[in-house]
Amino acid sequence: CEMTALRVTLCVVLYAGAALALDFYTYGPAYDSQLPPQNDISSSEIPLAVPIKFFGETYNSIFVNSNGLLSFLTEIPMFFSIQFPLNYPIIAPLYANVDTSGHGHIYYRETQDPDLLKRFNHRVQHFYPNLQAPFTAKSLFIASWLEVGYFPSGTDKVNTFQAVIGSDGSESFVELLYRPGGVQWVQGRGSSDRLPDARAQAGFVAEDGRLYTLRGSGTDQIQNLDRWSNTDEPGVWLFRVGNTGSSGNVEPPQADNGESENLIDDSSCQTGAMSCHSKAQCIDQDEGYCCVCQAGYYGNGRTCLQDQIPLRVNGKVSVSLNGVTEQEVDVQAYIVTADGRCYTALSRVPPAAGTDAQLISSTADIIGWLFAKSINNAPNGYMLTGGVLNHTAFLTFNNGQHRTTVEQRFLGLDVFDQLRMEGRIFGTVPQVPHGSKLSLP
């Protein structure tokens, strides 16, 4: 029979902001210091007139790094193609493999300009009306990335964004601004032909590893940061980052309805198309709209993968089997999507449970369902879910004498288009003699 992939659609009614004019805080050579136009570079350590409070820690200096982030404690000139969090405290308006040797400028300064302070304080006081005392910044640190290209020396697409940190010495807020059309590229070409650069990421990382990311971070949709918002203006994002406590996190503004994003209601492709993947088409419906992956791709419209390209699944599970416990067992799967084959392995299984664990190998069937070869236009699991789902399986042996529970949580694609998962396996199974091999139907 002829096997063809059914294009499954995602039909949604979302919220979107119109692309309006956006005023950056003043910047340029008349005001600022500037990083040299080259790849992978950082400023020297910049002493601060007013310390910045960040995740409860106080920092008296800061570094500006060309790849779209501000860092404390150390400079980070190199681009690390990994998923957040990095191992250092950072503010990342748009972390990607920037290269300004061909195009773009990076400016920065600390300022106590009264007009700029007034603008910043007004916005904070408007969106955080319930603070114990009105916030009044004494100093602003402003970093601007203007029309920066991508590695290596890319100039056909450029990104423009700005980060502003306001501090009074004991509390801090961050405003992130993205010009309309300001996120034109989300991946550099990388230095390896085998693995592409990580997609652009935006967010905050604490010294102890706490993480907060903006909507769309690490995905194709991050290019919509200029049209989304958590304030009343598209492309403008505001966060409280200072006194978070020892276990708290960054705080976005809270609207009256409890939502952290104030966006304009929309039910058509005119602005709603931003929720679709770049390889999907937006189609208006009588109610809402649908995202449909283009020919040569498959998915649910919000995520689309190229046909015939192998895929990896990576994750960790905790295992407690027959009284033997291991908290972090690596799960790795390799899917040959061209013909629907799937190879799954558990690494670092405790030797005492390794032979017995053969009895739970059927739990990898869910990965097979996700990427099964379509027959008679039937959608596979990824076309239905986009790789975001929870799955629980109960295994019984010997008429119920042994029972094992397998919980799996699939988290969608990471910054490399690899599927992430986590889970746990617990219970008992019949003991299998060491060295035995099992054949399962």
Side-chain angles (χ1 to χ4, degrees):
C1 63
E2 181 181 359
M3 294 182 289
T4 58
L6 175 66
R7 303 296 158 192
V8 176
T9 63
L10 173 71
C11 299
V12 291
V13 177
L14 285 181
Y15 298 88
L20 305 174
L22 177 66
D23 290 330
F24 274 17
Y25 289 72
T26 53
Y27 64 87
Y31 306 94
D32 298 322
S33 299
Q34 183 177 356
L35 290 183
Q38 64 185 71
N39 181 50
D40 288 345
I41 190 171
S42 297
S43 70
S44 57
E45 185 174 9
I46 305 166
L48 295 168
V50 177
I52 292 173
K53 201 81 168 182
F54 187 62
F55 280 98
E57 301 290 337
T58 300
Y59 298 99
N60 294 296
S61 62
I62 195 169
F63 298 85
V64 178
N65 307 277
S66 62
N67 291 311
L69 60 82
L70 306 172
S71 60
F72 303 100
L73 299 181
T74 185
E75 71 276 19
I76 309 177
M78 299 296 294
F79 175 71
F80 295 102
S81 188
I82 60 175
Q83 182 113 15
F84 277 178
L86 302 183
N87 292 326
Y88 302 97
I90 62 166
I91 296 171
L94 195 67
Y95 181 60
N97 200 351
V98 172
D99 185 353
T100 58
S101 62
H103 201 283
H105 304 279
I106 301 172
Y107 300 107
Y108 59 92
R109 78 182 185 280
E110 186 179 14
T111 180
Q112 293 82 41
D113 181 282
D115 291 335
L116 298 183
L117 286 170
K118 181 179 179 180
R119 169 183 169 177
F120 188 90
N121 290 331
H122 173 76
R123 185 172 291 276
V124 171
Q125 292 166 14
H126 175 72
F127 285 102
Y128 293 85
N130 299 320
L131 298 175
Q132 291 183 350
F135 175 77
T136 303
K138 297 179 181 178
S139 183
L140 303 178
F141 188 86
I142 303 173
S144 308
W145 285 258
L146 278 300
E147 297 185 345
V148 294
Y150 57 88
F151 180 84
S153 303
T155 61
D156 57 318
K157 296 179 180 180
V158 294
N159 292 342
T160 298
F161 52 94
Q162 188 176 68
V164 182
I165 309 171
S167 177
D168 65 1
S170 59
E171 180 63 277
S172 299
F173 289 79
V174 171
E175 187 174 4
L176 303 178
L177 303 98
Y178 304 87
R179 280 268 175 85
V183 185
Q184 299 178 8
W185 61 271
V186 299
Q187 277 180 302
R189 293 178 183 168
S191 56
S192 171
D193 294 333
R194 300 180 62 184
L195 187 65
D197 277 346
R199 283 193 175 88
Q201 300 171 81
F204 308 88
V205 180
E207 195 170 330
D208 60 10
R210 278 175 287 169
L211 172 66
Y212 182 99
T213 57
L214 273 65
R215 180 182 181 185
S217 177
T219 75
D220 193 68
Q221 278 74 30
I222 197 171
Q223 62 189 321
N224 297 312
L225 286 177
D226 64 317
R227 290 176 282 181
W228 290 335
S229 171
N230 68 359
T231 68
D232 57 359
E233 186 175 1
V236 179
W237 302 74
L238 189 63
F239 302 93
R240 182 184 184 184
V241 301
N243 292 311
T244 61
S246 59
S247 59
N249 211 321
V250 167
E251 297 179 12
Q254 293 296 316
D256 293 339
N257 61 3
E259 297 291 333
S260 61
E261 292 178 353
N262 304 324
L263 303 172
I264 301 170
D265 190 7
D266 183 82
S267 58
S268 73
C269 290
Q270 183 174 358
T271 53
M274 69 180 70
S275 66
C276 300
H277 192 271
S278 62
K279 298 300 182 182
Q281 179 184 5
C282 186
I283 301 176
D284 281 312
Q285 305 290 330
D286 291 338
E287 295 184 5
Y289 55 90
C290 293
C291 299
V292 184
C293 292
Q294 299 173 3
Y297 293 82
Y298 66 96
N300 67 350
R302 290 193 69 179
T303 66
C304 298
L305 293 170
Q306 189 173 354
D307 288 341
Q308 312 296 317
I309 301 298
L311 184 79
R312 296 182 185 273
V313 179
N314 295 306
K316 293 184 181 295
V317 297
S318 63
V319 176
S320 180
L321 200 62
N322 289 350
V324 179
T325 299
E326 179 66 43
Q327 291 300 321
E328 290 193 347
V329 173
D330 293 323
V331 179
Q332 298 174 325
Y334 184 79
I335 299 98
V336 184
T337 57
D339 54 18
R341 286 179 290 129
C342 173
Y343 304 91
T344 305
L346 298 179
S347 303
R348 297 193 298 114
V349 176
T355 305
D356 298 342
Q358 295 179 86
L359 290 169
I360 61 171
S361 61
S362 61
T363 58
D365 290 350
I366 182 66
I367 299 176
W369 170 76
L370 279 168
F371 298 100
K373 189 73 173 177
S374 178
I375 299 177
N376 296 330
N377 290 336
N380 63 25
Y382 189 82
M383 294 175 180
L384 297 172
T385 67
V388 180
L389 72 150
N390 296 328
H391 176 258
T392 301
F394 302 101
L395 307 180
T396 58
F397 304 87
N398 296 349
N399 296 321
Q401 295 181 31
H402 296 279
R403 180 182 175 92
T404 297
T405 301
V406 180
E407 298 175 348
Q408 296 163 297
R409 183 182 177 207
F410 292 88
L411 306 172
L413 301 178
D414 66 9
V415 295
F416 303 108
D417 275 350
Q418 298 179 2
L419 186 61
R420 298 170 295 150
M421 65 87 63
E422 61 186 22
R424 62 179 187 144
I425 301 170
F426 57 95
T428 64
V429 297
Q431 289 190 334
V432 178
H434 183 71
S436 299
K437 293 184 178 181
L438 303 181
S439 296
L440 300 177

